[in-house]
Amino acid sequence: MIDCIASYHLNPWTCGIAKFNLRLADALHVPLVTVVGLPHSRYTHPLVSVNPSEFAAFDRAPLAVSYDLLLHGFDPSDPFAVTLAQRAGRVWAGNEVLTSVIRPSRRDVRTVWCPSTIPAYRAETPEIQVLTFGMAHKLDAARYGRLRNLLEGSGRTYRLNVSTALHERTPWEDTLPVLETEMQAIFGSKVHLLGNLSDAGMAQALHDATAMAAFFPDGVRANNTTVWAALEHGCPVITNLDSHSPKPFVHGATVFDVDRLETWPTAASLRDVQVHAWEMCSAYSWKELVKVLVA
């Protein structure tokens, strides 16, 4: 009986095999663990699910445990890969081509397949869709908690869609798992991470959203381009204001200040803010900025 899935890479955001292994572990009701730590683990019947070529040089020693093996890649000229296959109890390959390549090293290799790694989501569209831009090291948990309370208090179905924002030299493998954990701690299953959307993807997401939420350490500023993007695309913005926020940003008129909202905005107030904000944007366009710079 398989009692764990052992993989080399464990981050499903940066490795397709890790994402597959996470789903496989869930389907088998066993944990996903690192293959490097197997000799010192409590597991007695691991299924090692890897591509041997991904192993770093310092981790390419033969495994000193009994294991079964599911291969996602195989180089017959790689002694480590051949030894890994030869010492396994049972061996599976992810497709027929791999099977034919592995067979000279393991005649009893069997072919399997890799089902979809994308979880099935409910098809129905919630009544409220809020888009936000997530950056783990800047997450304003208190204001997102207030946003959650407003959404829960609306009595309507909702979803928070998060487009991941990454700073220069900020690795995906550090940011995404932390962001997912922190957002789910606040919104549970009602948060959906969309990854780092392209401009076209962002424009579509803003078009589909009921509102966009963007919170800042002190308050929204005139150089917060994501807020202007939402306003120009006709998406009402829920943010936080202070005395240094743009003067045309007025709670209940052109934006919503989350610190002043007591209930989720009505459909009528959302429409009013949407229209007034879009009209306001004409005075803060690229054309108007160029006029200032060339005057």
Side-chain angles (χ1 to χ4, degrees):
M1 179 74 69
I2 295 170
D3 60 2
C4 72
I5 304 299
S7 181
Y8 189 65
H9 292 141
L10 299 181
N11 190 338
W13 289 102
T14 56
C15 177
I17 295 174
K19 191 171 184 179
F20 168 83
N21 286 335
L22 191 63
R23 292 295 306 277
L24 179 60
D26 183 62
L28 287 168
H29 306 292
V30 299
L32 175 63
V33 302
T34 174
V35 68
V36 177
L38 275 183
H40 310 290
S41 74
R42 59 183 177 84
Y43 303 105
T44 59
H45 201 156
L47 171 60
V48 176
S49 178
V50 294
N51 182 343
S53 68
E54 295 182 344
F55 280 66
F58 48 79
D59 288 325
R60 293 173 68 85
L63 297 180
V65 293
S66 298
Y67 60 92
D68 291 332
L69 182 65
L70 172 54
L71 288 165
H72 301 268
F74 189 81
D75 179 359
S77 66
D78 178 4
F80 171 70
V82 172
T83 300
L84 195 66
Q86 290 177 340
R87 293 191 178 186
R90 297 175 295 174
V91 181
W92 293 275
N95 61 59
E96 288 285 355
V97 175
L98 267 178
T99 298
S100 64
V101 174
I102 297 166
R103 182 160 285 125
S105 301
R106 277 298 295 253
R107 295 187 58 83
D108 59 346
V109 60
R110 288 177 287 175
T111 305
V112 289
W113 62 96
C114 296
S116 168
T117 59
I118 301 174
Y121 291 107
R122 290 179 299 175
E124 61 266 24
T125 301
E127 296 170 273
I128 300 172
Q129 293 194 72
V130 179
L131 178 67
T132 192
F133 303 90
M135 195 172 291
H137 69 283
K138 290 187 175 182
L139 185 66
D140 189 335
R143 288 194 170 94
Y144 277 108
R146 186 172 179 83
L147 177 64
R148 177 205 58 213
N149 293 341
L150 292 168
L151 290 165
E152 289 287 342
S154 72
R156 299 160 70 187
T157 58
Y158 72 88
R159 183 170 68 214
L160 182 74
N161 296 318
V162 183
S163 173
T164 309
L166 293 177
H167 269 165
E168 193 75 24
R169 295 184 296 276
T170 301
W172 280 86
E173 60 268 25
D174 291 344
T175 299
L176 291 171
V178 172
L179 181 63
E180 181 178 39
T181 299
E182 294 192 1
M183 281 296 197
Q184 287 182 343
I186 300 171
F187 293 94
S189 62
K190 294 177 180 177
V191 60
H192 286 190
L193 266 66
L194 305 180
N196 192 354
L197 292 176
S198 66
D199 288 348
M202 182 60 66
Q204 183 63 52
L206 287 168
H207 178 268
D208 295 339
T210 309
M212 193 272 273
F215 306 130
F216 305 93
D218 298 309
V220 62
R221 298 288 182 260
N223 61 341
N224 292 132
T225 57
T226 51
V227 171
W228 287 111
L231 298 176
E232 289 179 4
H233 283 78
C235 184
V237 170
I238 300 174
T239 188
N240 57 303
L241 302 173
D242 69 0
S243 60
H244 298 291
S245 297
K247 294 300 182 285
F249 285 14
V250 178
H251 171 66
T254 53
V255 297
F256 294 101
D257 186 345
V258 71
D259 294 327
R260 296 175 63 183
L261 281 173
E262 297 297 330
T263 60
W264 180 256
T266 64
S269 62
L270 284 167
R271 282 195 300 272
D272 287 344
V273 164
Q274 177 186 37
V275 170
H276 294 149
W278 188 81
E279 291 173 347
M280 173 194 68
C281 284
S282 62
Y284 295 89
S285 65
W286 283 101
K287 180 180 179 180
E288 295 303 315
L289 175 60
V290 168
K291 285 182 179 178
V292 172
L293 297 178
V294 301

